Amino acid sequence: MCGRYTLSTPTDLLTDLFELETAVTVSPRFNIAPTQEAPVVRTDPSTGGRRLDLLKWGLVPFWAKDASIGNRMINARSETVAEKPAYRVSLRKRRCLVLADGFYEWQVTGGPKQPYFFHRGDGQPFAMAGLWDRWDKDPSSPLETFTILTTTANEVIGLAHKRMPVMLEAAAWD
């Protein structure tokens, strides 16, 4: 599970690394939490290029009756995402890259939970697999939201937690 992450890489470096055509300016953030707006990379439908947008973390499917469902949909298991009605359309049509330069996992011990910060050794940002959707039950204020795909933890992260975000290599970004 990914419940908190960081993104402190300057916007100009993100623009170069992820080959963005357009980007909102992002400030360094060291504790991005569910229900907050965070930067994601999506395909611009008019140009086919990549753009950086701010979306709310916690997927609200387009068909949801109430936006509060997003509070429970911050992560989606990659192994079952195609089977779940909440994610099915987004998996086919609305994929995104969730940018981060680190994420936190908490290990449950006999005492208080122990936080661990995971990041690349070179300090570079990375892309987590995500899905997004647009909820416009309130026409005056449409809501664009995202979720992070998770998978079984690798050997390193598995020492702290059984799940981790799906991290994509550059070749998989498109």
Side-chain angles (χ1 to χ4, degrees), residues 83-116:
E83 303 163 13
K84 305 291 183 183
Y87 306 116
R88 221 176 275 142
V89 173
S90 290
L91 180 64
R92 285 194 315 268
K93 299 180 179 182
R94 298 184 195 100
R95 297 179 184 196
C96 63
L97 304 177
V98 181
L99 305 186
D101 43 37
F103 64 94
Y104 300 96
E105 291 295 356
W106 285 262
Q107 183 180 46
V108 178
T109 62
K113 290 181 181 178
Q114 173 67 47
Y116 290 92

mmCIF file of all heavy atoms in Angstrom, residues 83-116:
data_model
loop_
_atom_site.group_PDB
_atom_site.id
_atom_site.type_symbol
_atom_site.label_atom_id
_atom_site.label_comp_id
_atom_site.label_asym_id
_atom_site.label_seq_id
_atom_site.Cartn_x
_atom_site.Cartn_y
_atom_site.Cartn_z
ATOM 1 N N GLU A 83 -10.897 -6.531 -12.873
ATOM 2 C CA GLU A 83 -12.152 -7.165 -12.468
ATOM 3 C C GLU A 83 -13.074 -6.225 -11.712
ATOM 4 O O GLU A 83 -14.266 -6.510 -11.576
ATOM 5 C CB GLU A 83 -11.845 -8.358 -11.557
ATOM 6 C CG GLU A 83 -10.941 -9.389 -12.165
ATOM 7 C CD GLU A 83 -10.352 -10.315 -11.115
ATOM 8 O OE1 GLU A 83 -10.814 -10.321 -9.947
ATOM 9 O OE2 GLU A 83 -9.404 -11.049 -11.465
ATOM 10 N N LYS A 84 -12.562 -5.132 -11.212
ATOM 11 C CA LYS A 84 -13.337 -4.243 -10.347
ATOM 12 C C LYS A 84 -14.063 -3.168 -11.164
ATOM 13 O O LYS A 84 -13.436 -2.432 -11.923
ATOM 14 C CB LYS A 84 -12.428 -3.560 -9.318
ATOM 15 C CG LYS A 84 -11.605 -4.531 -8.480
ATOM 16 C CD LYS A 84 -12.467 -5.307 -7.536
ATOM 17 C CE LYS A 84 -11.606 -6.213 -6.669
ATOM 18 N NZ LYS A 84 -12.376 -7.030 -5.799
ATOM 19 N N PRO A 85 -15.378 -3.041 -10.995
ATOM 20 C CA PRO A 85 -16.137 -2.042 -11.756
ATOM 21 C C PRO A 85 -15.616 -0.612 -11.570
ATOM 22 O O PRO A 85 -15.655 0.183 -12.502
ATOM 23 C CB PRO A 85 -17.559 -2.174 -11.207
ATOM 24 C CG PRO A 85 -17.629 -3.546 -10.626
ATOM 25 C CD PRO A 85 -16.242 -3.861 -10.143
ATOM 26 N N ALA A 86 -15.109 -0.293 -10.409
ATOM 27 C CA ALA A 86 -14.640 1.070 -10.144
ATOM 28 C C ALA A 86 -13.430 1.457 -10.986
ATOM 29 O O ALA A 86 -13.185 2.633 -11.219
ATOM 30 C CB ALA A 86 -14.305 1.228 -8.662
ATOM 31 N N TYR A 87 -12.679 0.467 -11.455
ATOM 32 C CA TYR A 87 -11.429 0.749 -12.166
ATOM 33 C C TYR A 87 -11.448 0.348 -13.635
ATOM 34 O O TYR A 87 -10.563 0.733 -14.389
ATOM 35 C CB TYR A 87 -10.262 0.023 -11.486
ATOM 36 C CG TYR A 87 -10.139 0.315 -10.020
ATOM 37 C CD1 TYR A 87 -10.309 -0.696 -9.071
ATOM 38 C CD2 TYR A 87 -9.842 1.590 -9.569
ATOM 39 C CE1 TYR A 87 -10.188 -0.437 -7.723
ATOM 40 C CE2 TYR A 87 -9.729 1.860 -8.216
ATOM 41 C CZ TYR A 87 -9.902 0.845 -7.302
ATOM 42 O OH TYR A 87 -9.781 1.111 -5.963
ATOM 43 N N ARG A 88 -12.406 -0.450 -14.038
ATOM 44 C CA ARG A 88 -12.405 -1.067 -15.366
ATOM 45 C C ARG A 88 -12.247 -0.060 -16.503
ATOM 46 O O ARG A 88 -11.396 -0.223 -17.371
ATOM 47 C CB ARG A 88 -13.690 -1.867 -15.552
ATOM 48 C CG ARG A 88 -13.468 -3.179 -16.244
ATOM 49 C CD ARG A 88 -14.743 -3.990 -16.340
ATOM 50 N NE ARG A 88 -14.941 -4.761 -15.126
ATOM 51 C CZ ARG A 88 -16.110 -4.974 -14.552
ATOM 52 N NH1 ARG A 88 -17.210 -4.485 -15.066
ATOM 53 N NH2 ARG A 88 -16.193 -5.694 -13.462
ATOM 54 N N VAL A 89 -13.058 0.989 -16.523
ATOM 55 C CA VAL A 89 -12.999 1.975 -17.609
ATOM 56 C C VAL A 89 -11.689 2.754 -17.549
ATOM 57 O O VAL A 89 -11.049 2.973 -18.575
ATOM 58 C CB VAL A 89 -14.216 2.920 -17.562
ATOM 59 C CG1 VAL A 89 -14.071 4.044 -18.574
ATOM 60 C CG2 VAL A 89 -15.503 2.144 -17.806
ATOM 61 N N SER A 90 -11.279 3.139 -16.377
ATOM 62 C CA SER A 90 -10.024 3.889 -16.240
ATOM 63 C C SER A 90 -8.838 3.054 -16.701
ATOM 64 O O SER A 90 -7.906 3.578 -17.312
ATOM 65 C CB SER A 90 -9.823 4.342 -14.798
ATOM 66 O OG SER A 90 -10.765 5.341 -14.469
ATOM 67 N N LEU A 91 -8.845 1.760 -16.421
ATOM 68 C CA LEU A 91 -7.753 0.895 -16.850
ATOM 69 C C LEU A 91 -7.637 0.886 -18.371
ATOM 70 O O LEU A 91 -6.540 0.904 -18.916
ATOM 71 C CB LEU A 91 -7.950 -0.524 -16.317
ATOM 72 C CG LEU A 91 -6.867 -1.526 -16.686
ATOM 73 C CD1 LEU A 91 -5.526 -1.129 -16.076
ATOM 74 C CD2 LEU A 91 -7.259 -2.925 -16.232
ATOM 75 N N ARG A 92 -8.755 0.909 -19.054
ATOM 76 C CA ARG A 92 -8.738 0.904 -20.523
ATOM 77 C C ARG A 92 -8.430 2.278 -21.113
ATOM 78 O O ARG A 92 -7.747 2.371 -22.120
ATOM 79 C CB ARG A 92 -10.081 0.417 -21.059
ATOM 80 C CG ARG A 92 -10.281 -1.074 -20.933
ATOM 81 C CD ARG A 92 -11.461 -1.584 -21.762
ATOM 82 N NE ARG A 92 -12.668 -0.780 -21.670
ATOM 83 C CZ ARG A 92 -13.660 -0.979 -20.803
ATOM 84 N NH1 ARG A 92 -13.584 -1.953 -19.936
ATOM 85 N NH2 ARG A 92 -14.730 -0.222 -20.822
ATOM 86 N N LYS A 93 -8.930 3.349 -20.497
ATOM 87 C CA LYS A 93 -8.899 4.658 -21.156
ATOM 88 C C LYS A 93 -8.185 5.778 -20.408
ATOM 89 O O LYS A 93 -7.913 6.821 -20.995
ATOM 90 C CB LYS A 93 -10.343 5.127 -21.402
ATOM 91 C CG LYS A 93 -11.147 4.229 -22.282
ATOM 92 C CD LYS A 93 -12.542 4.788 -22.462
ATOM 93 C CE LYS A 93 -13.371 3.907 -23.358
ATOM 94 N NZ LYS A 93 -14.707 4.449 -23.571
ATOM 95 N N ARG A 94 -7.915 5.617 -19.117
ATOM 96 C CA ARG A 94 -7.425 6.749 -18.329
ATOM 97 C C ARG A 94 -6.266 6.351 -17.416
ATOM 98 O O ARG A 94 -6.386 6.387 -16.200
ATOM 99 C CB ARG A 94 -8.565 7.339 -17.514
ATOM 100 C CG ARG A 94 -9.671 7.888 -18.371
ATOM 101 C CD ARG A 94 -10.746 8.556 -17.534
ATOM 102 N NE ARG A 94 -11.937 8.751 -18.331
ATOM 103 C CZ ARG A 94 -13.005 7.973 -18.287
ATOM 104 N NH1 ARG A 94 -13.064 6.962 -17.450
ATOM 105 N NH2 ARG A 94 -14.045 8.197 -19.056
ATOM 106 N N ARG A 95 -5.161 6.043 -18.038
ATOM 107 C CA ARG A 95 -3.963 5.706 -17.261
ATOM 108 C C ARG A 95 -3.136 6.971 -17.058
ATOM 109 O O ARG A 95 -3.188 7.898 -17.858
ATOM 110 C CB ARG A 95 -3.144 4.652 -17.982
ATOM 111 C CG ARG A 95 -3.897 3.342 -18.130
ATOM 112 C CD ARG A 95 -3.099 2.316 -18.857
ATOM 113 N NE ARG A 95 -3.900 1.110 -19.051
ATOM 114 C CZ ARG A 95 -3.391 -0.046 -19.372
ATOM 115 N NH1 ARG A 95 -2.085 -0.177 -19.551
ATOM 116 N NH2 ARG A 95 -4.167 -1.101 -19.522
ATOM 117 N N CYS A 96 -2.359 6.980 -15.985
ATOM 118 C CA CYS A 96 -1.505 8.138 -15.719
ATOM 119 C C CYS A 96 -0.236 7.691 -14.988
ATOM 120 O O CYS A 96 -0.133 6.557 -14.531
ATOM 121 C CB CYS A 96 -2.247 9.189 -14.895
ATOM 122 S SG CYS A 96 -2.764 8.666 -13.242
ATOM 123 N N LEU A 97 0.699 8.604 -14.928
ATOM 124 C CA LEU A 97 1.922 8.410 -14.150
ATOM 125 C C LEU A 97 1.817 9.296 -12.918
ATOM 126 O O LEU A 97 1.565 10.490 -13.032
ATOM 127 C CB LEU A 97 3.154 8.825 -14.959
ATOM 128 C CG LEU A 97 3.367 8.157 -16.308
ATOM 129 C CD1 LEU A 97 4.585 8.759 -16.992
ATOM 130 C CD2 LEU A 97 3.510 6.655 -16.159
ATOM 131 N N VAL A 98 1.991 8.713 -11.763
ATOM 132 C CA VAL A 98 2.000 9.473 -10.512
ATOM 133 C C VAL A 98 3.469 9.684 -10.166
ATOM 134 O O VAL A 98 4.205 8.721 -9.951
ATOM 135 C CB VAL A 98 1.257 8.724 -9.390
ATOM 136 C CG1 VAL A 98 1.265 9.546 -8.112
ATOM 137 C CG2 VAL A 98 -0.167 8.381 -9.822
ATOM 138 N N LEU A 99 3.891 10.939 -10.159
ATOM 139 C CA LEU A 99 5.308 11.249 -9.965
ATOM 140 C C LEU A 99 5.661 11.327 -8.488
ATOM 141 O O LEU A 99 4.906 11.878 -7.688
ATOM 142 C CB LEU A 99 5.652 12.565 -10.651
ATOM 143 C CG LEU A 99 5.304 12.647 -12.139
ATOM 144 C CD1 LEU A 99 5.830 13.947 -12.730
ATOM 145 C CD2 LEU A 99 5.825 11.445 -12.895
ATOM 146 N N ALA A 100 6.827 10.781 -8.153
ATOM 147 C CA ALA A 100 7.296 10.786 -6.764
ATOM 148 C C ALA A 100 8.815 10.728 -6.764
ATOM 149 O O ALA A 100 9.437 10.333 -7.753
ATOM 150 C CB ALA A 100 6.730 9.591 -6.004
ATOM 151 N N ASP A 101 9.400 11.127 -5.657
ATOM 152 C CA ASP A 101 10.824 10.854 -5.484
ATOM 153 C C ASP A 101 11.068 10.026 -4.227
ATOM 154 O O ASP A 101 12.192 9.762 -3.859
ATOM 155 C CB ASP A 101 11.707 12.106 -5.546
ATOM 156 C CG ASP A 101 11.159 13.284 -4.795
ATOM 157 O OD1 ASP A 101 10.571 13.095 -3.717
ATOM 158 O OD2 ASP A 101 11.329 14.408 -5.297
ATOM 159 N N GLY A 102 9.983 9.588 -3.604
ATOM 160 C CA GLY A 102 10.066 8.681 -2.471
ATOM 161 C C GLY A 102 8.673 8.388 -1.934
ATOM 162 O O GLY A 102 7.721 9.110 -2.231
ATOM 163 N N PHE A 103 8.541 7.307 -1.168
ATOM 164 C CA PHE A 103 7.270 6.990 -0.529
ATOM 165 C C PHE A 103 7.552 6.356 0.826
ATOM 166 O O PHE A 103 8.640 5.849 1.087
ATOM 167 C CB PHE A 103 6.385 6.092 -1.410
ATOM 168 C CG PHE A 103 6.949 4.733 -1.691
ATOM 169 C CD1 PHE A 103 6.624 3.640 -0.900
ATOM 170 C CD2 PHE A 103 7.811 4.535 -2.758
ATOM 171 C CE1 PHE A 103 7.147 2.381 -1.167
ATOM 172 C CE2 PHE A 103 8.330 3.283 -3.040
ATOM 173 C CZ PHE A 103 7.999 2.208 -2.235
ATOM 174 N N TYR A 104 6.551 6.405 1.678
ATOM 175 C CA TYR A 104 6.663 5.888 3.029
ATOM 176 C C TYR A 104 5.863 4.596 3.176
ATOM 177 O O TYR A 104 4.785 4.461 2.615
ATOM 178 C CB TYR A 104 6.111 6.898 4.039
ATOM 179 C CG TYR A 104 6.817 8.225 4.036
ATOM 180 C CD1 TYR A 104 6.315 9.299 3.295
ATOM 181 C CD2 TYR A 104 7.991 8.424 4.758
ATOM 182 C CE1 TYR A 104 6.959 10.524 3.288
ATOM 183 C CE2 TYR A 104 8.638 9.646 4.749
ATOM 184 C CZ TYR A 104 8.116 10.690 4.008
ATOM 185 O OH TYR A 104 8.757 11.902 3.998
ATOM 186 N N GLU A 105 6.411 3.683 3.942
ATOM 187 C CA GLU A 105 5.677 2.495 4.382
ATOM 188 C C GLU A 105 5.916 2.362 5.878
ATOM 189 O O GLU A 105 6.979 2.720 6.378
ATOM 190 C CB GLU A 105 6.153 1.229 3.655
ATOM 191 C CG GLU A 105 5.795 1.176 2.190
ATOM 192 C CD GLU A 105 4.308 1.114 1.895
ATOM 193 O OE1 GLU A 105 3.488 1.039 2.830
ATOM 194 O OE2 GLU A 105 3.957 1.161 0.709
ATOM 195 N N TRP A 106 4.917 1.851 6.569
ATOM 196 C CA TRP A 106 5.020 1.680 8.011
ATOM 197 C C TRP A 106 5.028 0.196 8.335
ATOM 198 O O TRP A 106 4.170 -0.549 7.886
ATOM 199 C CB TRP A 106 3.841 2.359 8.714
ATOM 200 C CG TRP A 106 3.968 3.847 8.740
ATOM 201 C CD1 TRP A 106 4.432 4.599 9.781
ATOM 202 C CD2 TRP A 106 3.656 4.767 7.703
ATOM 203 N NE1 TRP A 106 4.423 5.925 9.439
ATOM 204 C CE2 TRP A 106 3.954 6.065 8.168
ATOM 205 C CE3 TRP A 106 3.167 4.642 6.413
ATOM 206 C CZ2 TRP A 106 3.761 7.204 7.414
ATOM 207 C CZ3 TRP A 106 2.978 5.767 5.648
ATOM 208 C CH2 TRP A 106 3.275 7.035 6.151
ATOM 209 N N GLN A 107 6.010 -0.189 9.148
ATOM 210 C CA GLN A 107 6.104 -1.573 9.575
ATOM 211 C C GLN A 107 5.405 -1.707 10.923
ATOM 212 O O GLN A 107 5.667 -0.934 11.850
ATOM 213 C CB GLN A 107 7.564 -1.995 9.700
ATOM 214 C CG GLN A 107 7.735 -3.448 10.071
ATOM 215 C CD GLN A 107 9.198 -3.818 10.193
ATOM 216 O OE1 GLN A 107 9.976 -3.101 10.816
ATOM 217 N NE2 GLN A 107 9.579 -4.937 9.594
ATOM 218 N N VAL A 108 4.518 -2.682 10.997
ATOM 219 C CA VAL A 108 3.817 -2.934 12.251
ATOM 220 C C VAL A 108 4.725 -3.787 13.124
ATOM 221 O O VAL A 108 5.194 -4.852 12.714
ATOM 222 C CB VAL A 108 2.477 -3.658 11.995
ATOM 223 C CG1 VAL A 108 1.772 -3.956 13.304
ATOM 224 C CG2 VAL A 108 1.597 -2.821 11.087
ATOM 225 N N THR A 109 5.011 -3.288 14.316
ATOM 226 C CA THR A 109 5.846 -4.013 15.274
ATOM 227 C C THR A 109 5.044 -4.188 16.561
ATOM 228 O O THR A 109 3.871 -3.850 16.609
ATOM 229 C CB THR A 109 7.148 -3.222 15.562
ATOM 230 O OG1 THR A 109 6.793 -1.959 16.141
ATOM 231 C CG2 THR A 109 7.952 -3.009 14.302
ATOM 232 N N GLY A 110 5.679 -4.655 17.603
ATOM 233 C CA GLY A 110 5.004 -4.802 18.891
ATOM 234 C C GLY A 110 4.620 -3.468 19.492
ATOM 235 O O GLY A 110 3.661 -3.355 20.235
ATOM 236 N N GLY A 111 5.345 -2.411 19.146
ATOM 237 C CA GLY A 111 5.065 -1.076 19.665
ATOM 238 C C GLY A 111 4.448 -0.205 18.579
ATOM 239 O O GLY A 111 3.697 -0.682 17.742
ATOM 240 N N PRO A 112 4.822 1.066 18.594
ATOM 241 C CA PRO A 112 4.297 1.967 17.562
ATOM 242 C C PRO A 112 4.808 1.564 16.173
ATOM 243 O O PRO A 112 5.869 0.951 16.038
ATOM 244 C CB PRO A 112 4.842 3.341 17.949
ATOM 245 C CG PRO A 112 5.612 3.165 19.195
ATOM 246 C CD PRO A 112 5.674 1.717 19.543
ATOM 247 N N LYS A 113 4.044 1.921 15.136
ATOM 248 C CA LYS A 113 4.460 1.616 13.766
ATOM 249 C C LYS A 113 5.770 2.346 13.462
ATOM 250 O O LYS A 113 5.946 3.503 13.846
ATOM 251 C CB LYS A 113 3.402 2.062 12.769
ATOM 252 C CG LYS A 113 2.140 1.248 12.810
ATOM 253 C CD LYS A 113 1.170 1.745 11.760
ATOM 254 C CE LYS A 113 -0.117 0.967 11.786
ATOM 255 N NZ LYS A 113 -1.066 1.484 10.791
ATOM 256 N N GLN A 114 6.660 1.658 12.749
ATOM 257 C CA GLN A 114 7.960 2.223 12.366
ATOM 258 C C GLN A 114 7.892 2.682 10.915
ATOM 259 O O GLN A 114 7.697 1.865 10.022
ATOM 260 C CB GLN A 114 9.058 1.167 12.531
ATOM 261 C CG GLN A 114 10.412 1.573 12.003
ATOM 262 C CD GLN A 114 11.030 2.711 12.789
ATOM 263 O OE1 GLN A 114 11.043 2.688 14.014
ATOM 264 N NE2 GLN A 114 11.531 3.701 12.091
ATOM 265 N N PRO A 115 8.065 4.008 10.645
ATOM 266 C CA PRO A 115 8.030 4.463 9.246
ATOM 267 C C PRO A 115 9.373 4.220 8.551
ATOM 268 O O PRO A 115 10.430 4.331 9.168
ATOM 269 C CB PRO A 115 7.754 5.958 9.377
ATOM 270 C CG PRO A 115 8.281 6.331 10.716
ATOM 271 C CD PRO A 115 8.140 5.105 11.585
ATOM 272 N N TYR A 116 9.292 3.882 7.261
ATOM 273 C CA TYR A 116 10.470 3.743 6.413
ATOM 274 C C TYR A 116 10.248 4.581 5.166
ATOM 275 O O TYR A 116 9.143 4.601 4.613
ATOM 276 C CB TYR A 116 10.697 2.278 6.016
ATOM 277 C CG TYR A 116 11.143 1.422 7.161
ATOM 278 C CD1 TYR A 116 10.222 0.740 7.948
ATOM 279 C CD2 TYR A 116 12.494 1.313 7.484
ATOM 280 C CE1 TYR A 116 10.623 -0.041 9.015
ATOM 281 C CE2 TYR A 116 12.902 0.526 8.554
ATOM 282 C CZ TYR A 116 11.968 -0.139 9.303
ATOM 283 O OH TYR A 116 12.370 -0.907 10.361
#
